[in-house]
Amino acid sequence: MSSYKEKKVISIGIVSELTGLSLRKIRYYEERGLLSPGRTGKGGRKYSFDDVETLMKIAERREEGVQTAEIKKELNKEKTKQKIRDEMIKGQLNAHFRMRK
Amino acid sequence: MSSYKEKKVISIGIVSELTGLSLRKIRYYEERGLLSPGRTGKGGRKYSFDDVETLMKIAERREEGVQTAEIKKELNKEKTKQKIRDEMIKGQLNAHFRMRK
DNA sequence: CGTGTAAGGAATTCTGACACG
DNA sequence: CGTGTAAGGAATTCTGACACG
Protein backbone atom coordinates (compact mmCIF):
# COMPACT_ATOMS: atom_id res chain seq x y z
CA MET A 1 0.00 0.00 0.00
CA SER A 2 2.33 2.78 1.19
CA SER A 3 5.72 2.42 -0.50
CA TYR A 4 8.80 4.44 0.34
CA LYS A 5 8.14 6.78 -2.59
CA GLU A 6 4.97 8.01 -0.94
CA LYS A 7 6.14 8.38 2.64
CA LYS A 8 6.36 11.98 3.80
CA VAL A 9 9.67 12.08 5.63
CA ILE A 10 11.95 14.62 3.95
CA SER A 11 12.40 18.13 5.32
CA ILE A 12 12.24 21.17 3.07
CA GLY A 13 15.97 21.87 3.29
CA ILE A 14 16.83 18.46 1.85
CA VAL A 15 14.13 18.82 -0.79
CA SER A 16 15.72 22.10 -1.78
CA GLU A 17 19.08 20.38 -2.25
CA LEU A 18 17.49 17.49 -4.14
CA THR A 19 15.57 19.70 -6.56
CA GLY A 20 17.73 22.80 -6.73
CA LEU A 21 14.66 24.92 -5.93
CA SER A 22 14.65 27.68 -3.31
CA LEU A 23 12.64 27.23 -0.13
CA ARG A 24 10.49 30.13 -1.29
CA LYS A 25 9.59 28.42 -4.54
CA ILE A 26 8.82 25.11 -2.86
CA ARG A 27 6.48 26.80 -0.39
CA TYR A 28 4.88 28.89 -3.11
CA TYR A 29 4.02 25.88 -5.28
CA GLU A 30 2.32 24.40 -2.25
CA GLU A 31 0.42 27.66 -1.70
CA ARG A 32 -0.84 27.39 -5.27
CA GLY A 33 -1.98 23.83 -4.65
CA LEU A 34 0.52 21.99 -6.87
CA LEU A 35 1.54 19.62 -4.09
CA SER A 36 0.63 18.80 -0.49
CA PRO A 37 3.48 17.99 1.88
CA GLY A 38 2.73 16.46 5.26
CA ARG A 39 3.35 18.28 8.52
CA THR A 40 5.18 17.38 11.70
CA GLY A 41 3.45 17.98 14.99
CA LYS A 42 4.79 21.51 15.28
CA GLY A 43 4.36 22.70 11.72
CA GLY A 44 7.43 21.46 9.85
CA ARG A 45 6.80 20.40 6.26
CA LYS A 46 7.53 16.77 5.30
CA TYR A 47 7.88 15.65 1.67
CA SER A 48 7.93 12.28 -0.09
CA PHE A 49 10.14 11.22 -2.99
CA ASP A 50 7.00 11.49 -5.08
CA ASP A 51 6.75 15.14 -4.03
CA VAL A 52 10.38 15.64 -5.05
CA GLU A 53 9.63 14.21 -8.49
CA THR A 54 6.58 16.44 -8.79
CA LEU A 55 8.72 19.45 -7.95
CA MET A 56 11.21 18.53 -10.63
CA LYS A 57 8.42 18.34 -13.18
CA ILE A 58 7.17 21.72 -11.99
CA ALA A 59 10.66 23.19 -12.36
CA GLU A 60 10.86 21.98 -15.96
CA ARG A 61 7.49 23.41 -16.89
CA ARG A 62 8.26 26.72 -15.18
CA GLU A 63 11.47 27.01 -17.19
CA GLU A 64 9.31 26.63 -20.27
CA GLY A 65 7.33 29.62 -19.07
CA VAL A 66 4.22 27.70 -18.05
CA GLN A 67 2.21 29.30 -15.21
CA THR A 68 1.48 27.47 -12.00
CA ALA A 69 -2.28 27.35 -12.66
CA GLU A 70 -1.63 25.51 -15.93
CA ILE A 71 0.91 23.16 -14.34
CA LYS A 72 -1.60 22.35 -11.64
CA LYS A 73 -4.10 21.18 -14.26
CA GLU A 74 -1.45 19.03 -15.94
CA LEU A 75 -0.54 17.41 -12.65
CA ASN A 76 -4.17 16.65 -11.89
CA LYS A 77 -4.58 15.00 -15.28
CA GLU A 78 -1.57 12.82 -14.64
CA LYS A 79 -2.95 11.87 -11.27
CA THR A 80 -6.27 10.89 -12.82
CA LYS A 81 -4.56 8.79 -15.45
CA GLN A 82 -2.53 7.04 -12.79
CA LYS A 83 -5.66 6.31 -10.78
CA ILE A 84 -7.31 4.71 -13.80
CA ARG A 85 -4.23 2.57 -14.40
CA ASP A 86 -4.25 1.46 -10.76
CA GLU A 87 -7.89 0.52 -10.93
CA MET A 88 -7.42 -1.49 -14.10
CA ILE A 89 -4.67 -3.48 -12.44
CA LYS A 90 -6.85 -4.02 -9.41
CA GLY A 91 -9.66 -5.17 -11.70
CA GLN A 92 -7.38 -7.65 -13.43
CA LEU A 93 -6.27 -9.05 -10.09
CA ASN A 94 -9.84 -9.40 -8.88
CA ALA A 95 -10.85 -11.17 -12.07
CA HIS A 96 -7.88 -13.48 -11.71
CA PHE A 97 -8.68 -14.48 -8.17
CA ARG A 98 -12.36 -14.91 -8.91
CA MET A 99 -11.39 -17.41 -11.56
CA ARG A 100 -9.11 -19.35 -9.25
CA LYS A 101 -11.76 -19.79 -6.55
CA MET B 1 22.01 2.22 -8.99
CA SER B 2 20.88 4.36 -6.05
CA SER B 3 17.23 3.63 -5.26
CA TYR B 4 15.09 5.61 -2.89
CA LYS B 5 15.67 3.06 -0.12
CA GLU B 6 19.33 3.97 -0.04
CA LYS B 7 19.11 7.74 -0.28
CA LYS B 8 20.13 9.52 2.92
CA VAL B 9 17.45 12.16 3.31
CA ILE B 10 15.63 11.63 6.62
CA SER B 11 16.45 13.66 9.71
CA ILE B 12 16.93 12.01 13.08
CA GLY B 13 13.67 13.32 14.51
CA ILE B 14 11.62 11.63 11.80
CA VAL B 15 13.67 8.46 12.17
CA SER B 16 12.87 8.51 15.87
CA GLU B 17 9.14 8.68 15.08
CA LEU B 18 9.44 5.96 12.44
CA THR B 19 11.30 3.54 14.67
CA GLY B 20 10.08 4.49 18.13
CA LEU B 21 13.70 4.78 19.28
CA SER B 22 15.02 7.74 21.28
CA LEU B 23 17.50 10.13 19.67
CA ARG B 24 20.04 8.96 22.21
CA LYS B 25 19.70 5.34 21.16
CA ILE B 26 19.90 6.15 17.46
CA ARG B 27 23.09 8.14 17.97
CA TYR B 28 24.55 5.49 20.24
CA TYR B 29 24.07 2.69 17.72
CA GLU B 30 25.93 4.84 15.23
CA GLU B 31 28.70 5.43 17.76
CA ARG B 32 29.05 1.65 18.08
CA GLY B 33 29.28 1.31 14.30
CA LEU B 34 25.96 -0.44 13.65
CA LEU B 35 24.98 2.08 10.96
CA SER B 36 26.40 5.08 9.13
CA PRO B 37 24.04 7.97 8.44
CA GLY B 38 25.06 10.70 6.03
CA ARG B 39 25.71 14.26 7.12
CA THR B 40 24.42 17.61 5.93
CA GLY B 41 26.92 20.38 5.35
CA LYS B 42 26.68 21.61 8.91
CA GLY B 43 26.60 18.34 10.79
CA GLY B 44 23.00 17.18 10.71
CA ARG B 45 22.52 13.42 10.41
CA LYS B 46 20.66 12.08 7.37
CA TYR B 47 19.21 8.56 7.23
CA SER B 48 17.89 6.31 4.46
CA PHE B 49 14.89 3.99 4.62
CA ASP B 50 17.45 1.20 4.69
CA ASP B 51 18.89 2.75 7.83
CA VAL B 52 15.40 2.87 9.33
CA GLU B 53 14.98 -0.84 8.63
CA THR B 54 18.35 -1.58 10.15
CA LEU B 55 17.35 0.33 13.27
CA MET B 56 14.17 -1.70 13.57
CA LYS B 57 16.19 -4.91 13.38
CA ILE B 58 18.52 -3.54 16.04
CA ALA B 59 15.57 -2.69 18.28
CA GLU B 60 14.27 -6.25 18.02
CA ARG B 61 17.62 -7.79 18.86
CA ARG B 62 18.18 -5.40 21.76
CA GLU B 63 14.81 -6.38 23.20
CA GLU B 64 16.04 -9.95 23.12
CA GLY B 65 18.98 -8.82 25.22
CA VAL B 66 21.60 -9.02 22.49
CA GLN B 67 24.53 -6.62 22.89
CA THR B 68 25.42 -4.08 20.25
CA ALA B 69 28.76 -5.75 19.46
CA GLU B 70 26.93 -8.97 18.63
CA ILE B 71 24.27 -7.21 16.60
CA LYS B 72 26.99 -5.46 14.65
CA LYS B 73 28.44 -8.83 13.62
CA GLU B 74 25.03 -10.05 12.56
CA LEU B 75 24.44 -6.98 10.44
CA ASN B 76 27.81 -7.37 8.76
CA LYS B 77 27.02 -10.98 7.92
CA GLU B 78 23.75 -9.95 6.35
CA LYS B 79 25.51 -7.29 4.36
CA THR B 80 28.04 -9.84 3.08
CA LYS B 81 25.28 -12.23 2.08
CA GLN B 82 23.50 -9.46 0.24
CA LYS B 83 26.66 -8.55 -1.61
CA ILE B 84 27.12 -12.14 -2.75
CA ARG B 85 23.52 -12.24 -3.96
CA ASP B 86 24.02 -9.00 -5.89
CA GLU B 87 27.16 -10.34 -7.55
CA MET B 88 25.47 -13.56 -8.55
CA ILE B 89 22.71 -11.61 -10.22
CA LYS B 90 25.25 -9.42 -11.96
CA GLY B 91 27.07 -12.56 -13.10
CA GLN B 92 23.87 -14.03 -14.50
CA LEU B 93 23.16 -10.85 -16.39
CA ASN B 94 26.66 -10.73 -17.81
CA ALA B 95 26.45 -14.36 -18.93
CA HIS B 96 23.13 -13.63 -20.53
CA PHE B 97 24.36 -10.69 -22.52
CA ARG B 98 27.56 -12.46 -23.56
CA MET B 99 25.39 -15.17 -25.02
CA ARG B 100 23.23 -12.75 -26.95
CA LYS B 101 26.18 -10.99 -28.59
C1' DC C 1 27.27 -1.50 28.56
C1' DG C 2 23.28 1.15 27.24
C1' DT C 3 20.49 4.96 28.01
C1' DG C 4 18.61 9.32 30.19
C1' DT C 5 19.16 14.05 30.90
C1' DA C 6 20.45 19.07 31.49
C1' DA C 7 23.46 22.57 28.96
C1' DG C 8 24.76 25.89 25.57
C1' DG C 9 25.13 26.80 20.97
C1' DA C 10 24.30 26.49 16.11
C1' DA C 11 21.36 25.56 12.18
C1' DT C 12 16.52 24.90 10.42
C1' DT C 13 12.03 26.14 9.54
C1' DC C 14 7.78 28.88 10.07
C1' DT C 15 4.70 32.82 9.04
C1' DG C 16 3.39 37.33 7.35
C1' DA C 17 4.97 41.17 4.91
C1' DC C 18 7.20 44.37 1.75
C1' DA C 19 9.43 44.75 -2.80
C1' DC C 20 9.52 44.41 -7.81
C1' DG C 21 7.09 43.89 -11.76
C1' DC D 1 2.33 36.28 -11.11
C1' DG D 2 6.43 34.45 -9.15
C1' DT D 3 10.24 35.08 -6.32
C1' DG D 4 13.66 37.41 -3.14
C1' DT D 5 14.57 39.02 1.31
C1' DA D 6 14.82 40.79 6.20
C1' DA D 7 12.40 39.81 10.78
C1' DG D 8 11.35 37.51 15.01
C1' DG D 9 10.26 33.41 17.03
C1' DA D 10 9.88 28.53 17.70
C1' DA D 11 11.52 23.85 17.10
C1' DT D 12 15.52 20.77 15.82
C1' DT D 13 19.86 18.94 16.22
C1' DC D 14 24.72 18.77 17.76
C1' DT D 15 28.43 17.62 21.07
C1' DG D 16 30.52 16.45 25.46
C1' DA D 17 29.54 15.23 30.02
C1' DC D 18 27.61 13.39 34.27
C1' DA D 19 24.62 9.74 36.19
C1' DC D 20 23.35 4.96 37.05
C1' DG D 21 24.62 0.45 37.02
Side-chain angles (χ1 to χ4, degrees), chain B residues 5-89:
Chain B
K5 275 196 67 175
E6 297 151 20
K7 278 219 148 184
K8 309 269 190 180
V9 296
I10 315 175
S11 65
I12 195 167
I14 302 284
V15 170
S16 174
E17 284 178 18
L18 257 29
T19 60
L21 296 169
S22 67
L23 305 188
R24 183 67 167 97
K25 284 179 180 175
I26 297 170
R27 294 190 189 114
Y28 181 69
Y29 299 147
E30 173 188 357
E31 189 183 321
R32 305 312 315 243
L34 310 208
L35 75 164
S36 309
R39 292 279 181 160
T40 66
K42 302 110 181 184
R45 268 166 266 250
K46 297 185 297 183
Y47 300 83
S48 64
F49 282 113
D50 264 352
D51 290 331
V52 171
E53 288 190 7
T54 298
L55 282 167
M56 291 173 66
K57 280 182 205 163
I58 293 171
E60 272 186 43
R61 298 299 280 146
R62 281 295 302 133
E63 277 172 34
E64 295 165 4
V66 183
Q67 296 200 331
T68 56
E70 176 60 23
I71 300 175
K72 182 176 179 180
K73 287 182 206 162
E74 295 173 2
L75 292 174
N76 283 336
K77 258 183 211 161
E78 277 185 49
K79 226 187 300 176
T80 305
K81 274 189 198 167
Q82 190 53 55
K83 238 177 231 168
I84 290 170
R85 267 180 234 131
D86 290 351
E87 269 154 35
M88 285 189 59
I89 289 172

Side-chain angles (χ1 to χ4, degrees), chain A residues 57 72-90:
Chain A
K57 281 182 206 163
K72 182 176 176 178
K73 287 182 205 162
E74 295 173 3
L75 291 173
N76 284 335
K77 260 183 209 160
E78 277 186 49
K79 227 188 300 178
T80 305
K81 275 189 198 166
Q82 189 53 56
K83 236 176 232 168
I84 290 169
R85 266 180 236 129
D86 290 351
E87 268 154 36
M88 285 189 60
I89 289 172
K90 221 192 290 181

Side-chain angles (χ1 to χ4, degrees), chain A residues 32-72:
Chain A
R32 305 313 314 243
L34 310 207
L35 73 164
S36 310
R39 291 280 181 161
T40 66
K42 301 109 182 187
R45 270 167 266 251
K46 298 186 297 184
Y47 301 83
S48 65
F49 282 112
D50 264 352
D51 290 331
V52 171
E53 289 189 6
T54 297
L55 283 166
M56 292 173 64
K57 281 182 206 163
I58 293 170
E60 271 185 44
R61 298 299 279 146
R62 282 294 301 132
E63 278 173 33
E64 294 164 6
V66 183
Q67 295 200 333
T68 56
E70 176 59 24
I71 299 175
K72 182 176 176 178

